[in-house]
Amino acid sequence: MAAFGIATGGSNWFSALALGVTLLKCLLIPTYHSTDFEVHRNWLAITHSLPISQWYYEATSEWTLDYPPFFAWFEYALSHVAKYFDQEMLNVRNLNYSSSRTLLFQRFSVIFTDALFVYAVHECCKCIDGKKAGKELTEKPKFILSALLLWNFGLLIVDHIHFQYNGFLSGLMLLSIARFFQKRHMEGAFLFAVLLHFKHIYLYVAPAYGVYLLRSYCFTANKQDGSIRWNSFSFVRLISLGLIVFLVSALSLGPFLALNQLPQVFSRLFPFKRGLCHAYWAPNFWALYSALDKVLSVIGLELKLLDPNKIPKASMTSGLVQQFQHTVLPSVTPLATFICTLIAMLPSVFCLWCKPQGPRGFLRCLILCALSSFMFGWHVHEKAILLAVLPMSLLSVGKAVDASIFLILTTTGHYSLFPLLFTAPEKKSLFLIGWKLSTSLAWDLWKSSVNLYSLSPPGT
């Protein structure tokens, strides 16, 4: 990267990192794209061509609008720029439309909106203590964090090849985290409330936000042993937080409440009929569970313990997005996954309540909530691992043990994204880039953290 050659005394390395990855994103414009490209093109057409009362009812395409209202308005705003590129992309009837101008607009829209992600990374760098930074640029925590986030291999695959807007959304999350580190809790709460109405997958980490704000913001003081001082509770702060959530929710859902369409909106946001596993299985508990069921069914057939006529023709391994029944093991329901996810989250949430440990304690809880939902959630996408990988980058530049965990998480997490690279050119070129970003840089981070902390006085 160009920034590696910049003098450590200057501050232009961040701009060089941001510019470098932006140029790489531009080079990825001609690469293949997934069905999500058509999904977002269709949403552009829906929000631009139809009145708001039809947004969540339109079903000409199988890729119906299933994100919260703020994202629908986001598509609406983009559509008014898209019409200057190619008006035909905004025709609801033009299914699978993909002209060269449409491709350019869609790709550049992702690159342009990533500006929020770049700003969020810059704000996160302000929250990193640089007192133990080494002389070399690659040993500076702020540089390492910027490289890990701006050049995140998962975001490059998912957004700029596969095609989505996760960088923009992750920017909102990282910015809200930065605001907590900066003790600007109201801003952090507002940003997260807005984020929830852009993409509801972030409900998975909502327990961390709720408990942290209640424990560390609404309760203004602790006892000497760190336990809660109950008489320090501030009703004014609680009401202020509640007012933020209410106003953001009213702005997002109010129009659909007035149209009496909230049930329809929620039915689109939570389509449980998509089944337990996504078409490309996320490497979680239910993937192992379903694989075990498949093995047991094969053994049962070989031993003639199962009746072939009673086994469903379709199976969990068919790669389709729909509901399936397990053959041998008990079938899993959405409620069962919710209970498992909640149980997995409880220890981290309990620790956050009993031992807040400031914003870093909140960040650890957020990561554990994200990993719990990834391991036990319903219909988990493989790219959901980014909800844990990106925040973990902030912890990885603080302690060697966190860097070690990050090395494992980012390597395995990004490796699980490789099935998204369908064609040979991307597989060959980006495999090398991804392996370098996911392992070598993380390994350098770990060694740098060990060197820094081995020279630090005990207790620091």
Side-chain angles (χ1 to χ4, degrees):
M1 284 179 273
F4 285 172
I6 297 178
T8 58
S11 59
N12 291 329
W13 55 262
F14 184 87
S15 299
L17 283 175
L19 178 60
V21 75
T22 301
L23 294 176
L24 175 60
K25 293 171 183 177
C26 292
L27 292 176
L28 295 176
I29 287 176
T31 57
Y32 88 94
H33 50 77
S34 71
T35 54
D36 282 328
F37 184 88
E38 169 62 14
V39 169
H40 290 280
R41 185 215 60 81
N42 184 55
W43 293 359
L44 286 172
I46 289 174
T47 55
H48 184 83
S49 306
L50 301 176
I52 185 175
S53 60
Q54 298 181 31
W55 286 2
Y56 286 94
Y57 282 95
E58 166 59 35
T60 301
S61 169
E62 62 178 311
W63 312 118
T64 54
L65 180 59
D66 58 7
Y67 273 25
F70 276 179
F71 200 93
W73 288 110
F74 171 73
E75 295 278 7
Y76 175 79
L78 289 179
S79 72
H80 284 278
V81 181
K83 65 183 180 182
Y84 294 108
F85 282 76
D86 188 346
Q87 185 71 33
E88 290 301 312
M89 79 171 82
L90 303 177
N91 187 339
V92 177
R93 303 291 177 181
N94 278 351
L95 301 182
N96 299 311
Y97 183 81
S98 181
S99 67
S100 59
R101 292 186 178 184
T102 301
L103 174 65
L104 286 175
F105 169 76
Q106 297 250 93
R107 289 296 196 192
F108 278 122
S109 70
V110 180
I111 296 172
F112 177 78
T113 55
D114 274 356
L116 177 62
F117 182 74
V118 174
Y119 173 70
V121 173
H122 186 267
E123 290 297 299
C124 287
C125 288
K126 295 179 180 179
C127 308
I128 300 301
D129 184 8
K131 294 180 180 178
K132 301 172 184 177
K135 295 181 179 179
E136 298 294 329
L137 180 62
T138 53
E139 291 183 354
K140 291 183 177 293
K142 292 183 179 181
F143 174 82
I144 296 172
L145 177 61
S146 300
L148 291 175
L149 289 174
L150 293 177
W151 286 77
N152 182 272
F153 180 58
L155 283 178
L156 289 175
I157 292 179
V158 175
D159 281 9
H160 301 281
I161 299 178
H162 189 75
F163 193 86
Q164 280 191 355
Y165 292 89
N166 291 284
F168 167 72
L169 298 171
S170 298
L172 282 173
M173 181 180 70
L174 291 178
L175 192 56
S176 71
I177 293 172
R179 293 300 182 244
F180 286 165
F181 274 86
Q182 297 164 359
K183 301 186 184 302
R184 297 156 66 175
H185 296 87
M186 293 292 285
E187 289 183 44
F190 170 76
L191 288 168
F192 183 68
V194 170
L195 177 61
L196 283 180
H197 288 275
F198 267 99
K199 192 170 184 178
H200 51 302
I201 193 175
Y202 291 95
L203 280 170
Y204 286 140
V205 297
Y209 276 87
V211 172
Y212 175 72
L213 287 169
L214 182 62
R215 178 66 175 84
S216 299
Y217 181 69
C218 292
F219 286 94
T220 58
N222 295 322
K223 296 180 181 178
Q224 292 183 350
D225 60 357
S227 60
I228 192 169
R229 188 182 296 276
W230 293 99
N231 60 359
S232 67
F233 183 76
S234 171
F235 283 101
V236 174
R237 291 189 174 187
L238 178 64
I239 293 173
S240 299
L241 290 173
L243 190 61
I244 286 176
V245 175
F246 173 78
L247 291 177
V248 171
S249 300
L251 183 62
S252 171
L253 301 174
F256 301 96
L257 177 63
L259 293 169
N260 197 28
Q261 292 184 358
L262 279 187
Q264 175 64 20
V265 173
F266 289 136
S267 69
R268 286 284 183 86
L269 297 184
F270 303 99
F272 292 112
K273 292 183 179 180
R274 290 185 175 180
L276 176 64
C277 295
H278 186 52
Y280 298 96
W281 289 8
N284 62 6
F285 177 80
W286 303 122
L288 297 175
Y289 186 89
S290 300
L292 177 61
D293 180 76
K294 183 67 176 180
V295 171
L296 292 177
S297 64
V298 172
I299 295 174
L301 289 173
E302 289 293 330
L303 299 178
K304 298 182 179 180
L305 299 175
L306 297 175
D307 184 358
N309 297 322
K310 294 183 179 180
I311 294 179
K313 295 181 179 180
S315 67
M316 295 291 294
T317 56
S318 62
L320 299 177
V321 178
Q322 54 183 287
Q323 285 183 309
F324 293 103
Q325 297 296 318
H326 288 91
T327 305
V328 179
L329 299 176
S331 294
V332 181
T333 64
L335 179 60
T337 62
F338 174 78
I339 294 174
C340 291
T341 303
L342 183 62
I343 292 174
M345 289 181 180
L346 282 178
S348 58
V349 173
F350 179 78
C351 289
L352 182 62
W353 176 265
C354 296
K355 299 179 179 179
Q357 299 180 354
R360 290 191 176 276
F362 156 73
L363 188 55
R364 293 184 186 278
C365 182
L366 182 150
I367 294 167
L368 290 171
C369 286
L371 288 174
S372 298
S373 63
F374 182 82
M375 291 301 296
F376 299 105
W378 177 267
H379 196 78
V380 177
H381 291 233
E382 66 285 334
K383 45 190 171 284
I385 193 63
L386 295 177
L387 268 71
V389 170
L390 295 175
M392 187 66 197
S393 302
L394 277 73
L395 289 181
S396 67
V397 297
K399 294 183 179 179
V401 63
D402 290 329
S404 300
I405 296 172
F406 176 77
L407 174 62
I408 298 173
L409 177 63
T410 190
T411 303
T412 55
H414 289 164
Y415 182 78
S416 69
L417 296 176
F418 283 145
L420 297 178
L421 300 176
F422 287 107
T423 60
E426 290 83 11
K427 287 182 179 179
K428 292 178 181 179
S429 59
L430 287 177
F431 181 86
L432 298 176
I433 297 174
W435 191 255
K436 178 65 177 179
L437 293 177
S438 300
T439 57
S440 299
L441 187 57
W443 180 250
D444 291 340
L445 161 66
W446 182 80
K447 290 190 296 184
S448 299
S449 298
V450 170
N451 292 336
L452 291 173
Y453 280 86
S454 64
L455 299 175
S456 302
T460 58

